[in-house]
Amino acid sequence: MNDTTAPLVSVYIPTRNRSALLRRALDSVLEQTWPRIEILVCDEASTDETPEVLAWYARCYPGKFVCLRNETPQGACRARNRCIEHASGTYVTGLDDDDFFHPQRIECLVNLYRRHRPSFACSRFRYFQSVSQVTSLRDRLHAEAELARADPLDLRELLYANLAGNQVLTELSRMRELGGFDEAMPSWQDYDTWIRLVDRFGPAVRARALLSFVDDDRSRARIRNSSKRAEGSERFIAKHERLMNADQRRNHRNIQYVMNRERPPLGEIVRNVSLGGYKSTIKLLLHKFFGVAIG
C-alpha cells in the first residue's frame, strides 16, 4: 500500500509546557511505518518553547502538521476535541505528549480494524519511568503474522477495567458521532470514551503486540496522582452504572476505596468481593492491612 491508496490517519496530541517530551512523541509518530498520517497538535497556552518546537516541525514537514493553540488552558479533553474537529483522516488515534508509539503501531491497528471491523482497535501497552526500560521493546521489529494476532474486547470485560489503555484507533466519523471526549469528566475521559464506543458500535479488538509506551514519571503532576482521579471515577460509575452487573459495581466500589485511601471494615470487603474484578479486591486488602495503595 502506497501514499496514494492508504487511508489517512489523523493523530491528535494535546500539549502544555512539555517541549522536550513533545519532541519524543512527535518523532514516534513521524517514524510510523504507515504511509499516510496527519498530526494535529493543540497547544494549551504553553509558556515554554512549545510554539517554536511546533513551528520547526511544521517547516520541516510541510503539509503534515495542523497546529492549534488555546490562549488559555481549557483542559486536555477540549484540546483533543479541537484536533478531532479539524482532522481530515478516515481513522483517528491519539497520543499524549509524554508518551510514544512503537513504529508499527498505526499500521497494525489500521490493518486489524479493516480485517475485524470492530468499534475500535488498540494494543497492549507498557508503563515506564525511564526510556531505557522500554528501548528494546520499542526497537523490536514485529513480523506480519505477529501483528495480525489479536483478541476481542467486549463491553463486559471493559466494564471491569480499562484494558484498552489511554489511546485507541477508530473511524473519525465515529468519534464525531459520539461528540468526542466528555469535557465535563475531570479524569477517566479515555475510559469513558472507549465504553461509549463499544456500547454504540460493538466489541473492540486488541493487538497482542506491545505497541504503546506510557510515561509513568511520578515526579511530575499527573491525574492519577490527584483527587481528580477519584472524582472522575465517581462520575464514570454514575454515567455507566446502567451497563454494569452487580459484580462490576462491586469491583468499581473497591477501586474507589483504594483511590480515596479508605479502609472499610473487613465485613464490607467480604460483601464487596468481585470475582470478575478480583484484582481490585486484592488491592483493597493490601491497602487495608498493609497501607499499600496500588493503581
Side-chain angles (χ1 to χ4, degrees):
M1 189 174 295
N2 57 42
D3 286 1
T4 60
T5 61
L8 180 67
V9 177
S10 300
V11 181
Y12 56 82
I13 303 176
T15 190
R16 175 168 166 76
N17 289 336
R18 288 178 175 172
S19 57
L21 293 173
L22 177 62
R23 290 186 182 94
R24 183 178 71 189
L26 294 175
D27 288 343
S28 79
V29 181
L30 292 168
E31 292 165 0
Q32 291 296 299
T33 56
W34 188 254
R36 291 193 68 210
I37 293 173
E38 69 169 0
I39 304 171
L40 302 101
V41 184
C42 186
D43 176 11
E44 278 277 276
S46 291
T47 56
D48 65 355
E49 297 176 354
T50 295
E52 290 77 16
V53 169
L54 291 176
W56 183 87
Y57 275 94
R59 285 195 306 271
C60 292
Y61 301 92
K64 194 93 168 176
F65 281 83
V66 176
C67 298
L68 308 169
R69 180 175 170 87
N70 293 331
E71 293 303 327
T72 58
Q74 299 177 34
C77 277
R78 180 63 197 137
R80 294 184 187 109
N81 286 342
R82 282 201 68 197
C83 291
I84 290 168
E85 290 163 7
H86 286 79
S88 303
T90 301
Y91 302 104
V92 65
T93 188
L95 180 62
D96 288 348
D97 60 4
D98 54 344
D99 300 337
F100 62 92
F101 290 159
H102 184 281
Q104 293 171 288
R105 180 181 186 273
I106 290 178
E107 177 184 1
C108 172
L109 298 190
V110 171
N111 288 336
L112 287 177
Y113 195 98
R114 300 177 86 185
R115 184 178 305 119
H116 297 280
R117 301 298 177 184
S119 56
F120 66 77
C122 61
S123 74
R124 292 173 57 223
F125 57 93
R126 177 69 56 85
Y127 288 110
F128 69 92
Q129 295 186 16
S130 167
V131 174
S132 62
Q133 295 172 328
V134 295
T135 298
S136 62
L137 296 170
R138 179 199 61 192
D139 295 343
R140 177 183 175 184
L141 180 64
H142 297 278
E144 185 176 341
E146 187 178 5
L147 294 177
R149 289 198 286 268
D151 301 300
L153 192 58
D154 62 20
L155 188 59
R156 183 195 67 82
E157 294 172 290
L158 271 176
L159 284 170
Y160 278 108
N162 182 6
L163 301 175
N166 64 356
Q167 307 295 347
V168 307
L169 180 139
T170 190
E171 294 175 54
L172 176 61
S173 61
R174 290 184 168 180
M175 284 295 286
R176 287 177 172 168
E177 183 177 335
L178 285 182
F181 292 88
D182 185 347
E183 296 174 25
M185 295 283 289
S187 65
W188 288 36
Q189 304 98 332
D190 48 358
Y191 190 13
D192 165 67
T193 305
W194 315 156
I195 291 293
R196 289 188 288 129
L197 277 169
V198 173
D199 186 39
R200 179 79 62 89
F201 300 108
V205 65
R206 183 172 68 168
R208 294 182 185 177
L210 200 160
L211 301 173
S212 184
F213 305 97
V214 180
D215 195 323
D216 194 33
D217 182 353
R218 303 191 179 189
S219 65
R220 299 196 306 272
R222 306 182 67 89
I223 282 180
R224 60 177 165 268
N225 293 337
S226 73
S227 60
K228 288 185 178 181
R229 187 165 175 253
E231 183 184 349
S233 169
E234 292 173 2
R235 292 197 184 192
F236 176 89
I237 294 171
K239 192 171 182 179
H240 300 297
E241 190 171 13
R242 64 179 178 83
L243 301 173
M244 297 180 187
N245 60 34
D247 194 62
Q248 289 161 341
R249 287 193 291 271
R250 288 193 294 270
N251 170 65
H252 279 280
R253 194 173 298 120
N254 290 337
I255 291 172
Q256 283 193 308
Y257 279 138
V258 175
M259 282 194 300
N260 291 328
R261 302 296 191 265
E262 296 180 43
R263 296 183 177 184
L266 184 58
E268 177 71 10
I269 296 176
V270 171
R271 284 192 295 273
N272 277 325
V273 167
S274 170
L275 299 179
Y278 67 91
K279 291 182 180 179
S280 69
T281 304
I282 294 172
K283 289 178 181 180
L284 181 55
L285 288 169
L286 288 172
H287 176 58
K288 178 173 178 61
F289 293 108
F290 300 101
V292 177
I294 301 175

